[in-house]
Amino acid sequence: YEVDVFESEAVAGGVLAFGIPEYRLPKQVLQHEIDLIAQAGVNIHLNTEVGKDVTFKGLQAQYDAIYVATGTQFPEKVNIPGEWLEGVMHGINFLKDVNLQHPIDIGKTVAVIGGGNTAIDSARTALRLGAERVIILYRRTRDAMPASAQEVQDAIDEGVELVELVSPVRFVGNRSGKAVKVECQMMELGKFDRSGRRKAVPVEGSSFSIDVDTVIPAVSQYSDLPFIKKSEIGVNPWGTFVIDDDTMMTTMDGVFAGGDVVRGPDTVIRAIADGKNAAISIDKYLGGKGKLNKG
């Protein structure tokens, strides 16, 4: 098959290239893998955004099958006052700016909000950018953090402070509109929620504040598909694609999907596995036997 990859950024690799810190995934290792893919005959079109530079309907007319693997690259807001202030940078955007070597001044004290891998990556990256104090604020306890337990321990070993059972209620700015303080409230664990974790409940009269130079909310990410109308394709309440579990095809004929755009924020290895399984399904869809050449 002739295969084309359309990438909106100036570098290939997606979140592997700009969402994972260098210390976890060296750029030269990733580039080697991308070079091997290109050498195998895959055409990678950089700086090409679907819906802007090319249309999705145009791709449907040109290709026999399409695989959508756009991930979850938009940060969820924490939706508290002051989120618009200068110095408030959402985790996925912060990591992207660092990896793409955009100039960033984070100052001496950084507060990170969240308990997932993006929060941990942001905290450890902030240390490497020269922050003297990095504080992770998490609304539950450490054992409930969705991040890898080893990553959490590594962050603490490096000097990151973890403050449990704390939730921000407001970001406070100075006269020039720069965030200088995070107002917080202590939490306590209540009854279990649908996810099997205990709800974090505010403790009355427990407010306090932390002086900061930068705030990095990193609570979650979501996907957005401006090039496909939601009315034209099956999407679940979480905004990810509905697919056939066996074939990985969406409700749109000939359009397959995998990775985070189907699962929500998940691991790299699952996304890679989805790509391989989708290749098998696409081959069968086009009349092949689904035998993947793993050489």
Side-chain angles (χ1 to χ4, degrees):
Y1 300 105
E2 286 191 21
V3 180
D4 293 276
V5 173
F6 295 92
E7 168 60 60
S8 63
E9 296 293 337
V11 295
V15 171
L16 294 182
F18 53 72
I20 298 179
E22 172 81 19
Y23 65 85
R24 282 183 61 194
L25 178 60
K27 294 288 180 285
Q28 63 186 45
V29 173
L30 176 61
Q31 191 57 53
H32 176 68
E33 294 291 328
I34 293 169
D35 290 343
L36 290 177
I37 292 169
Q39 288 169 20
V42 174
N43 306 307
I44 302 175
H45 306 272
L46 301 176
N47 298 305
T48 307
E49 183 177 339
V50 178
K52 180 180 177 183
D53 302 302
V54 294
T55 67
F56 188 72
K57 288 189 181 299
L59 295 181
Q60 285 181 289
Q62 185 178 353
Y63 294 91
D64 297 307
I66 295 174
Y67 180 61
V68 181
T70 51
T72 49
Q73 298 184 28
F74 296 88
E76 291 280 7
K77 301 292 193 291
V78 289
N79 293 318
I80 61 175
E83 196 162 3
W84 51 267
L85 289 167
E86 180 188 347
V88 178
M89 296 184 280
H90 292 86
I92 193 69
N93 296 338
F94 168 69
L95 293 172
K96 189 173 185 177
D97 284 346
V98 172
N99 278 314
L100 296 179
Q101 299 184 332
H102 295 163
I104 300 174
D105 180 12
I106 59 171
K108 295 181 179 181
T109 303
V110 176
V112 178
I113 299 160
N117 285 323
T118 299
I120 299 300
D121 285 348
S122 297
R124 297 178 71 187
T125 297
L127 280 181
R128 285 161 173 77
L129 289 178
E132 295 177 5
R133 188 184 184 200
V134 178
I135 311 153
I136 293 177
L137 306 176
Y138 185 54
R139 65 200 309 266
R140 290 185 171 93
T141 51
R142 178 176 172 177
D143 59 350
M145 294 176 78
S148 158
Q150 185 59 56
E151 294 285 340
V152 174
Q153 186 59 53
D154 289 346
I156 291 171
D157 289 344
E158 289 176 359
V160 172
E161 299 174 36
L162 173 60
V163 182
E164 302 170 282
L165 293 170
V166 166
S167 182
V169 294
R170 186 165 72 110
F171 303 135
V172 181
N174 58 18
R175 291 183 178 179
S176 62
K178 171 77 169 61
V180 294
K181 197 182 296 286
V182 180
E183 285 190 6
C184 304
Q185 188 170 32
M186 296 298 298
M187 312 292 283
E188 61 185 2
L189 296 180
K191 296 180 180 179
F192 289 93
D193 61 19
R194 290 181 181 179
S195 70
R197 295 189 298 176
R198 294 174 66 185
K199 288 183 178 179
V201 182
V203 177
E204 287 189 23
S206 63
S207 298
F208 67 99
S209 62
I210 300 173
D211 294 332
V212 297
D213 297 303
T214 298
V215 184
I216 304 177
V219 291
S220 190
Q221 290 102 241
Y222 68 95
S223 59
D224 189 27
L225 300 159
F227 52 85
I228 304 177
K229 291 181 180 178
K230 299 290 194 296
S231 60
E232 296 178 343
I233 197 165
V235 178
N236 64 32
W238 298 275
T240 53
F241 278 134
V242 173
I243 64 167
D244 182 288
D245 290 337
D246 295 324
T247 66
M248 301 186 67
M249 190 188 294
T250 66
T251 58
M252 189 178 285
D253 187 54
V255 177
F256 300 76
D260 289 7
V261 75
V262 168
R263 300 178 181 278
D266 206 328
T267 60
V268 168
I269 200 65
R270 279 184 181 268
I272 292 172
D274 280 353
K276 291 184 177 181
N277 290 329
I280 292 171
S281 291
I282 290 170
D283 181 40
K284 290 179 178 178
Y285 173 75
L286 298 176
K289 296 181 179 179
K291 297 292 184 182
L292 192 64
N293 178 6
K294 298 181 181 179

